[in-house]
Amino acid sequence: MNHQGHMASYGQPQPGYQEYQPFVYENQHMTGVPPSQYGPYNGPIQGYQQTAVPQGPLRLPPGTAPPPTSIPPSTTAQQPIYNQYRQGEVLNGPALPDQMQRLPVSQPYMPGNTLRSGSQTMPSQHYAPPLSHAQQLPNQMARMQISGVSVNSASPVSQGYDPPASRPQVATSLPPVGPTPYSTPLQNAPSSTPQDNSLLQQPFPGQPTPASTFTSLPTANLPPSLGMQRPPMMHGLPLPGQAPSGTYPSMPNHRSMDPQPGMPGVILSGPTQGFQMQPAPNQGFVPQQNGSFGQMRAPQPNYPAPSVGAPNYSSQPQPQQKRLDPDSIPSPQLNELPTQKKTRHRIDPDAIPSPIQVIEDDKSNRGSEPFTTAVRGQVPPLVTTDFVVKDQGNASPRFMRCATYNIPCTSDMAKQCQVPLTAVIKPLATLPADEAHPFIVDHGETGPIRCNRCKAYMCPYMQFIEGGRRFQCAFCCCVTEVLPHYFQHLDHTGKRMDYYDRPELSLGSYEFLATVDYCKSNKFPNPPAFIFMIDVSYNAMKSGLVHLLCEELKSLLDFLPREGNTEESAIRVGFVTYNKVLHFYNVKSTLAQPQMMVVSDVADMFVPLLDGFLVNVIESRAVINSLLDQIPEMFADTRETETVFGPVIQAGLEALKAAECAGKLFIFHSTLPLAEAPGKLKNRDDKKLVNTDKEKVLFQPQTSFYNNLAKECVAHGCCVDLFLFPNQYVDVATLGLVTYHTGGSIYKYTYFQAQADGERFLNDLHRDVRKVIGFDAVMRVRTSTGIRATDFFGSFYMSNTTDVELAALDCDKTITVEFKHDDKLNEDSGAQIQCALLYTSCSGQRRLRIHNLSLNCCTQLADLYRNCETDTLINFFVKLAYRGVLNNPTKPVRETLINQSAQILACYRKNCASPSSAGQLILPECMKLLPVYLNCVLKSDVLQPGAEVSTDDRAYIRQLVASMDVSETNVFFYPRLLPVHKMEIDTDDFPVAIRCSEERLSKGGIYLLENGLNLFIWVGMNTQHDLIQSIFNVQSFGQIDSGMAALPQLDNPYSKKLRSMVDIIRAQRPRFMKLLIVKQEDKMEVLFKHFLMEDKSANGGASYVDFLCHMHKEIRQLLS
Amino acid sequence: MPPVMIRINDEQQKSSVTMTAYLEFIQQNEERDGIRFSWNVWPSSRLEATRMVVPLACLFTPLKERPDLPPIQYEPVLCSRATCRAVLNPLCQVDYRAKLWTCNFCFQRNQFSPSYSGISEVNQPAELLPQFSTIEYVVQRGSSAPLIFLYVVDTCLEEDDLQALKESLQMSLSLLPPNALVGLITFGRMVQVHELNCEGISKSYVFRGTKDLTAKQIQDMLGLAKPPKGVQGRTPQPHEHPSLSSRFLQPVHKIDMNLTDLLGELQRDPWPVPQGKRPLRSTGVALSIAVGLLEVSFPNTGARIMLFTGGPPTQGPGMVVGDELKTPIRSWHDIEKDNARFLKKATKHYEALADRATVNGHCIDIYACSLDQTGLLELKCCSNLTGGYIAMADSFNTSLFKQTFQRVFSKSLQGDFRMAFGASLEVKTTRELKIAGAIGTCVSLNSKGPSVSENELGVGGTCQWKVCGLDPSTTLGIYFEVVNQHNAPIPQGGRGAIQFVTIYQHSSSQRRIRVTTVARNWADAQSQLQHIEAAFDQEASAVLMARLGVFRAESEEGPDVLRWLDRQLIRLCQKFGQFHKDDPNSFRLSETFSLYPQFMFHLRRSPFLQVFNNSPDESSYYRHHFMRQDLTQSLIMIQPVLYSYSFHGPPEPVLLDSGSILPDRILLMDTFFQIVIYHGETISQWRKAGYQEMQEYENFKQLLQAPLDDAQEILQTRFPMPRYIDTEHGGSQARFLLSKVNPSQTHNNLYAWGQESGAPILTDDVSLQVFMDHLKKLAVSSAS
């Protein structure tokens, strides 16, 4: 679809109106808007103040903190949080300042200044959460003392990050750094912190103003509000850092853990936290967590003062010492791949940033209150956090998530920091029931109102001028006349009077009804069709697939996607079976029995019938059922083992073409297509290619046939879903190509047996058939001048550089977009992104879904580092790397990833962190999980395959990941490991996850591990018999049948709870996970261990600790 | 009612004794051997023979119905000379004592086999008895395959047309022998090959209608390549003919019900036909698949592909016209102007198919029912070369089609189908004769031999032909050349002999060999011309010449053929007429030649040679039937017969002349293709007035009824069913009659004749009278 040309059409405002429900609207903005506006204000201010008063707050409840500075109270409140997190660690302060900056920007947005009163309320709300935080903190601190690091992790900043897969190679590269033993020192060197602070503060001179405004407010209120501020964003760490300059001894206290003198400590400090790894050779670990090296000692002394903190710190040293045995720490060279023992000794795993901690902190900090989107550049809660979104002008993070919400103004800055500017967009994401579905706006016959020049759609960022007669585009600044029917007067703030009545003026996400101009060949589309294409060759019959599938289809057809509340689905269905030839079925309702039409001319595929192939399910029910009964019977004795594949897709495509509609093919396929036909493949699997320069061919299609076919499919809106049931190599890389380019899904069930895998397959099929889907879609991402979408990742096809063409797009498909500068951005106006998706709904309606997101721009790198989202970043890296393997061997791909990450971190270290000894590893708070997640990515099967990983599986994963959203990549790379034995039966909550490492498994425990594709229950040998009894219904560990397909249905709380957990987890993931029971020391355990991402992997992936050291080395090299 | 005989009787009064004798002789020969020679006494030298103008030739009906002929349950005895292999026959000299026989063709002496040891003058095997000059052997060896019928059905039909066709097809199932294999292919935009042995679901293989496929491809695509692990993969059920193609061709008794249902569910071609377009009809591919299917599954077994089509092929190989309605299908005019784009390509396609079919002994019928042309011109070769039928009607919903189709399955008195398959006809001659060629529904088997002439007439260059489908009336014209040199006289009383050996698959699926051996006297044309003259068979000659003419017309321009015919006629008149030079009035022809010019007159006007007023399809249709029918029918085609009914007496044959059209007569004309009942002006008025309903005019009612009954009689037996036309003076359909009669009265000479004597014909065609006058003038002219 060309967006161009439609520009002219302005919808009539009125029509849209009616549909639109004012109620909802008002409510939303009523509640949402004002508060949010305030929120931001407070936030920044607090941050600001906090910097001043970091220490006190640490443990103290907000209240305590406030005193120091008048306004500061709020800041103090925050600090406490941070401090707590850090406890011992040295915190760099940067985070807060960011917010400060933001405020000013935000102001323009909020007309609401006037409404201060409202604002106050907000803060108070915020308040509550912080408190709890504060309380928890102390506890945590106590635990964490061991290493500052751990403390850091506790900080709210990062939410759950997922599983990393590490690869050995990485480890090897590490060595250089490592000569020194690793010590996990804790805090950042005090000295550094101060500096940071100062730096940070300076940049924010502007902030004062906001602060000032606040001051006017009653002080009392302030304090709490401060605490509230999105602690997560500004990690506690930063604050401390800032403090330094101030004064504040408190910081020093934190440092209490002095690193051991001699040790070059590695400090990992996020902007906030740092944990240090001391590279110093030979030296033992510094039990104490020091910030920076030199200072280590000094800090401690200071510490004492800090009230609560002190005790913790003191305790810390000891534990650290235990773990860090100086002697054992061999030279730091990671290269050597120190044995597990060694590493353990060197660095306390607890001392390094913990994904679990980050996730849990974010949950507790941000899970309880709604995330309102009124403010520009807000970092949303982590994907692992359960939160409610209120759309107030920016798209929900469920639709769009960015790696950084504050982007550099210039390309130089962007190059310097190497942080990719990227957005992960899921245009049709499913929203939770309590969030409003995007409203549909009808602008009438003239179509949606758009900017004359850049064709951007009407959105909240458009500025109406000249009394509402024109509007200025927020993207290209062009001024466009307002069509008469869309005219509306402006109020005194310059807003249109109908601001709240029109979703396109007040919301971040909404839909336009498209006019006929937006349709192919200027005809409104027909409702789409689903075609089920079933392999009936020997393998498929034998595995029971065909039988199972046909049986299931009978009921499944009742669940075709429906529009809104309509009774009947408009989608028509058709059936094809095939082996070496294709069989079409005429299931016209008037027939007494179905008719089968065999097309054996596979070289030149065509559709043998028109009428009766695609039918309405309800009308043709009887014939369809009769057909589905007969298919398994007809082919029961087949001995045909050869299949075709290309012609199958061609047939579906032709059928859709003939019916003049878009649609989806569900292909159920079992073998490598060896029969003579276009798209015939040969078995080219060659394990020997792994780790060679030719490895990439394994990911490339064998023939260009499927590429061309995909192109044609996309042109006609033919989406292909592929269900594979292979018993051997089927060349997923080639077969999946069309699926990949048409926005389809691919499912693979290796060694499928109806008995064992039926449940998984049927559930997947059910979900796949029923899910929300748009057809024949084109997505266009527009941005404000200065940046440009330059690269796209996901399952789609692009025939030019701007339009993402999708034969279909469903609610699970995500597209990752990378932006690059082509000009300067302006701090004041920020940067806007508008993603417009033109698609055909399941009822055949042509629509445009618009998502808008506004970001802040910065001239200071620190702002950027404070507003990052590691999960999104990882999502981007994965997709980049997985695409990279198409053209490069995996080793350079891995190295590129490491390099870029190292540069990001080095840049932070160089520009934003307080100066400290080179031995310290300082990480930005927002990115403190970058190493662990990156390691998971590097260790993944695609980038570093073990011998047991098949070529097909790698290609399969590669494709899956391409369209994963952030939450999926998160859990996929860092699996969730839940201690089942610790579950609380009385509540619905899950037990707190533990880190993916074998040493964290207890022999007496039962654990559940899931990564979105796999689901394991691991049973320790010493698990109590009664627990085993109540879950597995057997007497003892030895009697547990690891082959069981499902947990027994037992009527006891443990069993119920566990089963409900499994059900809930399955429901959360787009794909059904088959449950595998793994007993400790069983041979299956290898499989399970593969997912313990923090450990060294069997195929050479580095352990978390080793990798961290390696990263440190890389960073140091960059810095030197 | 044998019209020809009537005509002969007509002339009988004048006939001489010799002539009567010859007529009897000819008739006997025809009844016994199914053979009519142009000359029954043969000129003994090559030179003389060529001067006879009409070549020595015969019309031979290989399977002439001989209910009295007992099948001989053993195999024929063959001459042992490899180049001869003639069959022992009554003309052979037998030495009973030595148990030897001498071949009368090559004079080879052959020993009888031991099984003939009991042979003696009083104990002769049938083949030596003179009354068995035609004899039929039944070959015992070899497995007998059932008959195969493959229906190829066009679905681009109007609803009621399709319905009628479906009913006819369903009905036909009951007419087939229970063990016959039947298959179904339907086509429209696509071609569907239906699988017949499935329950619960009907299966078909679908092919694109635009792509020609080789036999190998078809075989692969239908899954016939390998043992029946095919698509269905069902274990082959044991049945009588566990052939690979059993999925597509099934015994009628097994799938009777299935197929009836399947036919019942047949829908019109579902693809939409846009305004101004013809439906896309893939006749070419459908036939190609049918041929391919049988080719791979039942080679050398009798099979009938029956094509039912309701319009021209519009796509793919063999397309005859594009799908744009604004471009009309080719006319004779287009063809003459070389403006028929698809003609050559399509013809080539169908000829190739026909060739393949003939190789395997399969024949192709075409049932074309449409108001417009259906491409018979291009398709005709499929039937012409394989011996299949062509039937043409306006719609499948006409009795013309229904009965014609039904009659295909008619049975003889013995209960056998009147059809035979895969015949090869071999002709052996004594050494004075050579074989010049054959004209009929046959193809050459390219069997060269010493008896093959270098001069070809018709399909020549061989002494063996293949006739894939034949019935008791299938008749071939076989042309000979006398090669005996003038200076090597044949001894007095010498006889020339010809043996026809027809090996074919009987409808009972037995393999049979029919052997006909005939002999005729030689005569010296110089000294015994009168004998030769008297032995002239002008009817056979007319038909044989007509066949030659039609054969030429297929490849040459119409006018050339007419000129050739005229020239032949003039030469014949010059040779055998008695006249004084340059005195036309003195011209006389003997009785044996007297009718010949008249035949030629009508032949010139017939649709076989005139394309005016006929579409290419019609011409093809007429010619097809002319080339396969026996002498009687052929003569009717050349010169329709006309009967007159009146109160003046019993029905009588009258001259095919406009003078016979009188107001108080009812005329019945049989042109073979049409039966026209014409009510004269007065009769028609009476009829309109309803006199026949009144008791006192019972006789009028009877008069009206009489021609109807006679017509019915003809309709009963004729194949294909003629078009039945009931018309009257001034009726539009009267044109059928008016176009046939000799225009003795036209608007040009109307007043000279007076109105009462007949009806004037509005034509510029010459009348027989003018034609004859002209002929005489030319014949007597010394200039020529």
Side-chain angles (χ1 to χ4, degrees), chain A residues 550-561:
Chain A
C550 289
E551 200 50 42
E552 185 67 13
L553 276 179
K554 284 190 230 167
S555 56
L556 183 58
L557 293 177
D558 291 329
F559 298 103
L560 299 177

Side-chain angles (χ1 to χ4, degrees), chain A residues 394-444:
Chain A
N394 282 303
S396 157
R398 302 189 206 288
F399 293 125
M400 232 197 262
R401 222 168 229 282
C402 293
T404 170
Y405 285 79
N406 201 327
I407 57 183
C409 281
T410 66
S411 58
D412 289 346
M413 276 177 74
K415 270 181 208 150
Q416 192 185 358
C417 69
Q418 285 289 316
V419 176
L421 308 180
T422 175
V424 178
I425 306 176
K426 198 175 184 184
L428 296 182
T430 315
L431 298 180
D434 49 355
E435 292 179 19
H437 190 80
F439 293 100
I440 298 182
V441 180
D442 186 357
H443 277 174

Side-chain angles (χ1 to χ4, degrees), chain A residues 79 214 234 350 352 431 443 581 621 669 756 787 930 1103 1112:
Chain A
Q79 285 189 351
F214 276 92
M234 10 260 288
D350 285 335
I352 53 183
L431 298 180
H443 277 174
V581 298
R621 178 104 253 167
H669 191 77
I787 54 170
L930 186 59
S1103 71
H1112 185 210

